[in-house]
C-alpha cells in the first residue's frame, strides 16, 4: 500500500509514534510502527473526498485526525475498532 501521486501532507504524532500522510491521489494512510519488522505498517483510511487531499493533521491525543480537501470539505477521522479501519467523515 502506498500513495500513487504527490504527498501533500505528512505528520508524525509523538505520543503514538504514528505517521499520517495525505496525497493528491485522494488517499490518506496512517503508518503505525511494527516492532517485529522494525518498519511502519500502512493502514488505509476511508475518506470521501472527490478531489485531492491538501492537508492532514493529528489532534493532540493522536486518536483523531482532520483532512482538508480541495473541494473545500474538512473530514474528521477516527479509528473503528470493529472494522479495524480508519474512517474520515465530513
Amino acid at each position: 500500500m502506498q500513495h500513487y501521486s504527490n504527498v501533500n501532507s505528512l505528520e508524525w504524532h509523538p505520543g503514538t509514534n504514528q505517521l499520517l500522510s495525505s496525497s493528491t491521489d485522494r488517499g490518506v494512510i496512517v503508518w503505525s510502527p511494527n516492532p517485529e519488522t522494525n518498519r511502519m505498517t500502512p493502514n488505509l483510511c476511508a475518506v470521501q473526498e472527490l478531489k485531492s487531499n491538501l492537508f492532514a493533521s493529528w489532534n493532540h491525543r493522536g486518536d483523531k485526525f482532520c483532512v482538508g480537501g480541495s473541494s473545500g470539505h474538512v473530514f474528521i477521522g477516527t479509528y473503528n475498532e470493529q472494522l479495524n479501519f480508519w474512517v474520515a467523515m465530513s
Side-chain angles (χ1 to χ4, degrees):
M1 181 181 315
Q2 65 186 23
H3 290 292
Y4 296 102
S5 191
N6 296 333
V7 173
N8 288 339
S9 182
L10 179 66
E11 186 167 304
W12 171 68
H13 191 276
T16 63
N17 201 28
Q18 292 178 313
L19 291 170
L20 175 65
S21 61
S22 67
S23 173
T24 57
D25 64 8
R26 301 182 315 187
V28 174
I29 300 175
V30 173
W31 302 84
S32 302
N34 185 339
E36 295 174 6
T37 62
N38 204 22
R39 302 187 119 197
M40 298 298 272
T41 302
N43 192 343
L44 189 62
C45 306
V47 181
Q48 296 178 342
E49 176 60 55
L50 299 177
K51 298 182 178 182
S52 64
N53 294 312
L54 300 176
F55 184 76
S57 181
W58 288 109
N59 71 343
H60 68 283
R61 288 187 308 267
D63 61 348
K64 293 181 183 178
F65 61 83
C66 66
V67 177
S70 60
S71 66
H73 292 96
V74 175
F75 301 89
I76 304 298
T78 57
Y79 187 72
N80 186 321
E81 290 194 30
Q82 292 175 334
L83 299 174
N84 193 26
F85 202 76
W86 288 87
V87 179
M89 304 180 96
S90 61

